[in-house]
Amino acid sequence: MSTVTGVSAADQAPGPDGKQPLQGDRASTGRFGDRLFGGAATVSGVVVIALVSLIAVFLVVQAVPALMNNSESFFTSRVWAPGGEKPAFGILEFLWTTVTASTIAMLVAVPVGVAVALFITQYAPTWMRRPAAGLVDLLAAVPSIVYGLWGLIAFAPVFKPVQGWIESALGWFPLFAPTGISGGTIFFIGIVLAIMVLPIVTALSREVFDQTPIAHKEGALALGATQWEMIRTAVLPFGRPGVISASMLALGRALGETIAVTFLVSALSDGSPWTWSLFNGGETFASKIANNAAEFSNPGKTGAYIAAGLVLFVLTFVVNSIARVVIERRKAFTE
């Protein structure tokens, strides 16, 4: 008996009910599954875009009236008095503290995270790789409040002599000038944030490095490359887009961190002199909003804090957009 072209005899065998399956039934079932999955994926994407758009619209609608009544420069003023008859508020201090602390965190976390990921994937013995990877993943699951308490109780006394040494050795440089603050300085907050985001950078970089084609690594070694030369020419170029993605994800975590920073921050008093020193105090956007949530008593005050949150939202969005552009250009270059 002849068979239909392209269909095996097993596909034409009678089913449990004794009936011959039809080829159209299989095709229609496959097309239905594809349509169902495609529709679910489309709906999910639309929902995510809609949520982000609605959040942006809400922030803008709530912030614009307060910004219209603001009597100070929103981006260059350090005054924060949104509750008076003539509201006056600016975000210069919050912007400086947020960006600077996050930058310090990334300068510390990214090199260390990449180095740890390379050790786990390229240098560590086989018996050590799985426990080390599990430990890193476990650190990523530690709650923010635990990091905050650890930094306040355990790490601050250890860091204080280090800050004193830096101030005595490099105090002539404006970024390290002494300020008399020894607690929650911008530099200290940046170090704690670096420890918090380090597991994110390490875990994602490890996964990317572990996917480097074996042929690329063996080819480099066959040409006489050392272990480091193989990593530099094969592993790092392959994993660079993934490292950038991990860094931007960690940066987003650092920019928006609230609980740990709220525990550690040393808020400055009104009228305190401006300084570029990293050993000065200050509040981030997130800590300022969290510490003063009880002040959302009228639309004017609430709008001022929402305006600050809008800046943080835009800052995070811009960072992620830049990361996406860099990754796409890198992919286009490698292809």
Side-chain angles (χ1 to χ4, degrees):
M1 182 175 59
S2 62
T3 59
V4 181
T5 303
V7 181
S8 65
D11 291 336
Q12 294 186 359
D17 56 357
K19 296 182 179 180
Q20 190 78 11
L22 299 178
Q23 181 66 15
D25 293 340
R26 292 180 178 274
S28 61
T29 302
R31 287 195 293 268
F32 175 75
D34 290 342
R35 290 196 299 268
L36 181 62
F37 180 80
T42 302
V43 170
S44 300
V46 171
V47 168
V48 171
I49 295 174
L51 285 175
V52 175
S53 301
L54 289 174
I55 292 173
V57 170
F58 167 78
L59 293 175
V60 171
V61 170
Q62 295 293 322
V64 167
L67 292 173
M68 296 296 292
N69 295 326
N70 187 17
S71 59
E72 290 284 342
S73 173
F74 182 64
F75 290 102
T76 60
S77 175
R78 297 177 59 214
V79 177
W80 190 263
E85 295 182 0
K86 298 182 67 176
F89 53 91
I91 61 167
L92 178 61
E93 179 183 321
F94 312 141
L95 184 63
W96 166 254
T97 305
T98 301
V99 173
T100 306
S102 300
T103 302
I104 294 172
M106 300 312 299
L107 291 176
V108 175
V110 173
V112 176
V114 171
V116 173
L118 288 174
F119 169 77
I120 293 175
T121 58
Q122 308 299 323
Y123 289 101
T126 305
W127 61 267
M128 185 187 294
R129 293 183 182 182
R130 187 178 296 274
L135 180 60
V136 171
D137 295 339
L138 182 62
L139 290 175
V142 175
S144 300
I145 190 171
V146 175
Y147 281 110
L149 291 173
W150 170 81
L152 182 65
I153 298 173
F155 187 54
V158 176
F159 184 77
K160 187 175 180 179
V162 177
Q163 176 179 329
W165 179 83
I166 296 175
E167 288 178 338
S168 61
L170 302 174
W172 53 270
F173 192 63
L175 286 178
F176 302 107
T179 61
I181 299 176
S182 59
T185 63
I186 298 175
F187 192 85
F188 177 69
I189 293 173
I191 298 298
V192 175
L193 288 176
I195 298 172
M196 292 181 63
V197 303
L198 178 62
I200 298 176
V201 179
T202 302
L204 296 179
S205 300
R206 185 192 75 237
E207 294 295 332
V208 175
F209 293 153
D210 207 29
Q211 296 175 10
T212 305
I214 297 178
H216 292 186
K217 297 191 291 186
E218 291 181 347
L221 295 174
L223 292 174
T226 62
Q227 181 78 355
W228 163 242
E229 290 173 339
M230 179 273 293
I231 293 173
R232 182 171 56 85
T233 58
V235 178
L236 290 179
F238 180 83
R240 187 173 289 114
V243 172
I244 295 174
S245 299
S247 302
M248 293 302 102
L249 182 62
L251 179 58
R253 167 77 183 276
L255 288 171
E257 178 55 43
T258 305
I259 300 300
V261 176
T262 302
F263 270 99
L264 302 172
V265 69
S266 294
L268 299 176
S269 58
D270 295 335
S272 58
W274 171 262
T275 175
W276 296 101
S277 177
L278 299 179
F279 296 126
N280 196 25
E283 292 185 276
T284 64
F285 285 110
S287 67
K288 182 66 175 180
I289 296 172
N291 280 328
N292 298 274
E295 295 187 11
F296 297 170
S297 55
N298 60 67
K301 283 187 177 181
T302 304
Y305 288 100
I306 291 179
L310 176 62
V311 175
L312 180 59
F313 178 85
V314 172
L315 183 62
T316 306
F317 185 82
V318 169
V319 167
N320 290 331
S321 299
I322 293 175
R324 176 57 55 187
V325 171
V326 171
I327 292 172
E328 293 299 329
R329 287 187 176 180
R330 170 59 58 179
K331 288 182 179 179
F333 177 77
T334 55
E335 292 175 357

